[in-house]
Amino acid sequence: MSTSVRIIGTGLIGTSLGIALSSAGFAVTLEDPSPTAVRLARDLRAGSLATETDADPDIVVVGAPPDVTAQVVVDALSRWPHAVVTDVASVKESVLRDVLASGVDATRYVGSHPMAGRERSGAAAARGDLFDGRAWVVVPHPDTTEESVRRVRELALAVGAAVRVMPAHEHDEAVAAVSHVPQLAASIVASCLRELPESAVGLAGQGLRDVTRIAASDPRLWTQILAGNAAAVRDVLRHVRDQVDDVVTALDGIVERDGAGSLGTLSHVLEAGNLGHARIPGKHGAAPAAYVVVSVVVPDEPGALARLLGDIGSAGINLEDLHLEHGLGQAVGVAEVSVVPASVEPLRTELARLGWRVHD
Amino acid sequence: MSTSVRIIGTGLIGTSLGIALSSAGFAVTLEDPSPTAVRLARDLRAGSLATETDADPDIVVVGAPPDVTAQVVVDALSRWPHAVVTDVASVKESVLRDVLASGVDATRYVGSHPMAGRERSGAAAARGDLFDGRAWVVVPHPDTTEESVRRVRELALAVGAAVRVMPAHEHDEAVAAVSHVPQLAASIVASCLRELPESAVGLAGQGLRDVTRIAASDPRLWTQILAGNAAAVRDVLRHVRDQVDDVVTALDGIVERDGAGSLGTLSHVLEAGNLGHARIPGKHGAAPAAYVVVSVVVPDEPGALARLLGDIGSAGINLEDLHLEHGLGQAVGVAEVSVVPASVEPLRTELARLGWRVHD
């Protein structure tokens, strides 16, 4: 008999999970305080609507907003005395603390954080492949049973995620640095653009776009996430503030022309950025240098890119990643083709032979 | 007779410009303190090596590091008493000030800043299409002759750039906000990753990758850029610091559980980020919402993406942008296809008819 899963909260994560689990053969039932949201999730094949007569689920996944997650988890543990309960909130220690403080039997509770998301929110933005190849952090606590961890791990693997197990405080400290402070930095940099003259924002390049992309994220959700991880975010943010202070002081020194050591401070901050950046694993969890980008000039006409990719496919070379850069109204674009290092030379040779203009 | 251009400094920008101008029919000669760099540039078809017997150039482009740019401009104005001289440094007011302070006849000097670059530097990273569709800021000063501005504008247009004319201080204030402070923010956020445990950096997602991409930039170059625009960068960075301070205080309040207004502060910063982000023009200079992304599931096998793009091309639909997202070792990837809004429905219908799995 297939594992039965109740998903409570059919937002982006809950609905995406429902789609992925349903297509993996799990029996998914859905509930959400919003009848519209839950029906949309059902129509997207995330599962069937929950009814009063449903049998008890094996696993409950709470996809509620962070500030009500603990309460919904506690309720679920009481409603279904044999079910394993997990949640997908982006913060884990505050949820765990509130669950334990409730006095409920928490041996069947194990936290989760699938490291997947989009700038868009809600069921409409859901994708069944949202978890494919993403990390899924499983967060047991000292009283969690082995069986509960096994159940949640199984569920994460079923949707293609890579499971990492760590305690709540370790998770929260990690995401403060790799997710929550970057969100704040993007928002703050973007907020500096509000009052700029039109001619100034017109100079925006790809660097600014990348740095601020996640500044488009949902403020309500992120207020709760930051508040739920306040201590860890504050600690990282103090480091950020100290460095910003150092740079402001260095720039003051340069402006006042008495800045001994000012250039050294600037250089140090930029070099530290190089070192930190080099630690980020590649998109696929591999080392950053695992793929090589080859740039190919592509005429801006229907079918040209298809011809290029046909030529790459015919050469038996697998694309690892592809990005097309278009010039503004120009006659050519540049396709940035990522391949494994061993494929670079065969790719260059073959494309050049077929008349493509190839750059490193 | 074709316009003759001397390029002094064959780094990324100088070499890319040489390639673009040569292929547009300009007669380009190259010089650089490094014999290796200038020969590489020549081999990349950026122009011919400068010799003692060259006729005087019509235009000189200085592509030297920011901290020596003014001196090289002054030397060029003296060496060639009839040439128009421009430079491509990322800061304009400090260069202009030093040029004027030298007492040279600066009527033939007009500053430039092509808004184009890469994380990689040097001639080897040069691309002839680097300026395609990018802004090229032309920065005259009160004594610049009309003819000099006309010459530089002509050169920018010849390489496909979109010319914007503005005074030096306006340029410097603009790039402080849209380029220099984002660079610092990326570097500082990345630097917070240096001491993290491996398990923590393993949780990095696309958001972090985007925010920190430019943290890989050259520290020597950026130290000079920031120092050259110290006052304007400091002013924007003070705003950043004030907001970081506000957020630290708000998080303190939440940790100490006496944070009246703390959530409001967080929410305000995130909303301000939304507003600032919405002002950034799209990649192609159009409004951010000009293209719609349609996601199509693509099997991870040679030729599959080519088949998809062939189907799109056969339907007569032009791709505006394309990004392929691969799941880690998964059987499918997701192609994010950007098209104009009017093409969305025809695209969805046609692809669904041909059996592709299409998401919004």
Side-chain angles (χ1 to χ4, degrees):
Chain A
M1 212 183 75
S2 64
T3 303
S4 63
V5 180
R6 169 68 55 95
I7 292 176
I8 305 179
T10 53
L12 169 69
I13 301 293
T15 305
S16 296
L17 187 59
I19 297 169
L21 289 174
S22 296
S23 70
F26 288 68
V28 181
T29 51
L30 306 168
E31 60 175 277
D32 192 284
S34 156
T36 324
V38 77
R39 275 189 226 116
L40 174 57
R42 180 207 44 200
D43 292 349
L44 293 169
R45 305 193 186 171
S48 54
L49 301 184
T51 66
E52 293 293 328
T53 59
D54 288 332
D56 283 7
D58 300 313
I59 310 178
V60 180
V61 180
V62 174
D67 62 345
V68 298
T69 292
Q71 190 54 54
V72 180
V73 167
V74 169
D75 291 348
L77 288 165
S78 310
R79 264 166 91 184
W80 297 292
H82 302 291
V84 169
V85 178
T86 190
D87 71 291
V88 295
S90 306
V91 293
K92 299 270 62 88
E93 200 162 20
S94 56
V95 172
L96 175 61
R97 192 180 54 226
D98 292 351
V99 169
L100 295 178
S102 75
V104 77
D105 164 25
T107 57
R108 291 173 287 114
Y109 168 66
V110 48
S112 285
H113 183 200
M115 305 296 296
R118 315 187 67 185
E119 300 96 275
R120 286 174 275 172
S121 55
R127 286 162 52 160
D129 56 358
L130 193 67
F131 311 98
D132 265 10
R134 305 288 178 181
W136 182 304
V137 189
V138 173
V139 184
H141 58 95
D143 298 336
T144 308
T145 62
E146 281 298 316
E147 168 67 6
S148 304
V149 174
R150 193 188 60 74
R151 281 284 198 183
V152 172
R153 178 193 285 270
E154 191 177 73
L155 183 140
L157 294 175
V159 299
V163 172
R164 321 273 171 96
V165 180
M166 60 178 75
H169 74 272
E170 201 176 308
H171 166 275
D172 283 6
E173 283 166 19
V175 293
V178 305
S179 170
H180 302 174
V181 165
Q183 173 65 52
L184 280 167
S187 295
I188 290 173
V189 168
S191 76
C192 296
L193 308 174
R194 269 179 314 167
E195 312 287 329
L196 284 192
E198 204 63 38
S199 58
V201 286
L203 301 186
Q206 195 53 40
L208 180 69
R209 286 191 189 94
D210 285 351
V211 172
T212 60
R213 181 181 59 83
I214 56 174
S217 301
D218 181 4
R220 279 177 313 160
L221 173 64
W222 273 95
T223 297
Q224 293 185 22
I225 292 173
L226 296 169
N229 198 19
V233 174
R234 181 193 54 183
D235 290 349
V236 180
L237 204 57
R238 279 179 179 154
H239 277 280
V240 168
R241 185 186 51 193
D242 291 347
Q243 287 186 77
V244 172
D245 269 336
D246 288 350
V247 175
V248 169
T249 305
L251 294 170
D252 271 335
I254 292 165
V255 173
E256 309 299 338
R257 298 181 183 275
D258 64 352
S262 291
L263 294 182
T265 301
L266 297 181
S267 174
H268 178 76
V269 166
L270 294 159
E271 280 163 12
N274 280 183
L275 295 173
H277 178 265
R279 295 203 63 208
I280 302 174
K283 202 164 194 172
H284 312 258
Y291 300 115
V292 180
V293 174
V294 174
S295 300
V296 186
V297 177
V298 179
D300 185 15
E301 56 194 33
L305 192 58
R307 204 171 73 242
L308 169 65
L309 295 166
D311 288 348
I312 295 172
S314 305
I317 289 165
N318 203 7
L319 279 186
E320 300 301 333
D321 206 347
L322 174 71
H323 187 251
L324 181 68
E325 230 176 85
H326 250 280
L328 171 70
Q330 298 302 311
V332 295
V334 173
E336 299 191 324
V337 174
S338 299
V339 296
V340 295
S343 292
V344 173
E345 274 319 303
L347 177 67
R348 294 175 59 89
T349 309
E350 180 63 10
L351 291 183
R353 192 181 69 77
L354 294 167
W356 294 97
R357 227 174 103 212
V358 182
H359 298 262
D360 269 327
Chain B
M1 212 181 75
S2 63
T3 303
S4 62
V5 179
R6 169 68 55 97
I7 292 176
I8 305 178
T10 53
L12 170 68
I13 301 293
T15 305
S16 296
L17 187 60
I19 296 169
L21 288 174
S22 296
S23 71
F26 288 68
V28 180
T29 51
L30 305 168
E31 61 176 275
D32 191 283
S34 156
T36 324
V38 77
R39 275 189 227 115
L40 175 56
R42 181 209 40 204
D43 291 348
L44 292 169
R45 305 193 186 171
S48 54
L49 301 183
T51 67
E52 294 292 328
T53 58
D54 288 332
D56 283 7
D58 300 313
I59 310 179
V60 180
V61 179
V62 174
D67 62 345
V68 298
T69 292
Q71 189 55 54
V72 180
V73 167
V74 169
D75 292 346
L77 287 165
S78 311
R79 263 166 94 184
W80 296 292
H82 302 291
V84 170
V85 178
T86 190
D87 72 293
V88 295
S90 307
V91 293
K92 298 270 62 93
E93 199 160 19
S94 56
V95 172
L96 175 61
R97 193 181 51 227
D98 292 351
V99 170
L100 295 179
S102 76
V104 77
D105 165 24
T107 56
R108 292 174 287 114
Y109 168 66
V110 49
S112 286
H113 182 200
M115 303 297 295
R118 315 188 69 185
E119 301 96 273
R120 286 174 276 172
S121 55
R127 285 162 52 159
D129 56 359
L130 194 67
F131 311 99
D132 264 11
R134 305 289 178 181
W136 182 305
V137 189
V138 173
V139 183
H141 58 95
D143 298 336
T144 309
T145 62
E146 281 299 315
E147 169 67 6
S148 306
V149 174
R150 193 188 61 73
R151 281 284 198 185
V152 173
R153 179 194 286 269
E154 189 175 75
L155 183 140
L157 293 176
V159 299
V163 172
R164 320 271 171 97
V165 180
M166 60 178 76
H169 75 273
E170 200 175 309
H171 166 273
D172 283 6
E173 283 166 20
V175 293
V178 305
S179 171
H180 302 174
V181 164
Q183 174 64 52
L184 280 167
S187 295
I188 290 173
V189 168
S191 75
C192 296
L193 309 175
R194 270 178 314 166
E195 311 288 328
L196 283 193
E198 204 61 38
S199 58
V201 286
L203 301 187
Q206 194 53 42
L208 180 69
R209 286 190 190 96
D210 286 351
V211 171
T212 60
R213 181 180 60 82
I214 56 175
S217 301
D218 181 4
R220 279 177 314 160
L221 173 65
W222 273 95
T223 298
Q224 294 185 20
I225 292 173
L226 296 170
N229 197 19
V233 174
R234 181 192 56 181
D235 290 348
V236 180
L237 205 57
R238 280 180 178 155
H239 276 281
V240 168
R241 184 184 55 191
D242 292 347
Q243 287 185 78
V244 172
D245 269 337
D246 287 350
V247 175
V248 169
T249 305
L251 294 170
D252 270 336
I254 292 165
V255 173
E256 309 298 339
R257 297 181 184 277
D258 64 352
S262 291
L263 294 182
T265 300
L266 298 181
S267 173
H268 178 76
V269 167
L270 294 159
E271 281 164 11
N274 280 182
L275 295 173
H277 178 266
R279 294 202 63 206
I280 302 173
K283 200 165 195 171
H284 311 259
Y291 300 115
V292 179
V293 175
V294 174
S295 300
V296 186
V297 178
V298 180
D300 185 15
E301 58 194 33
L305 192 58
R307 205 173 71 242
L308 169 64
L309 294 167
D311 288 347
I312 295 172
S314 305
I317 290 165
N318 203 7
L319 280 185
E320 300 301 334
D321 206 347
L322 172 71
H323 188 250
L324 180 68
E325 230 176 85
H326 251 280
L328 171 71
Q330 298 302 310
V332 295
V334 174
E336 298 191 324
V337 174
S338 299
V339 295
V340 295
S343 293
V344 173
E345 273 320 303
L347 177 67
R348 295 174 59 89
T349 309
E350 180 63 8
L351 291 182
R353 192 181 70 76
L354 295 167
W356 294 97
R357 227 174 103 211
V358 182
H359 295 263
D360 269 327

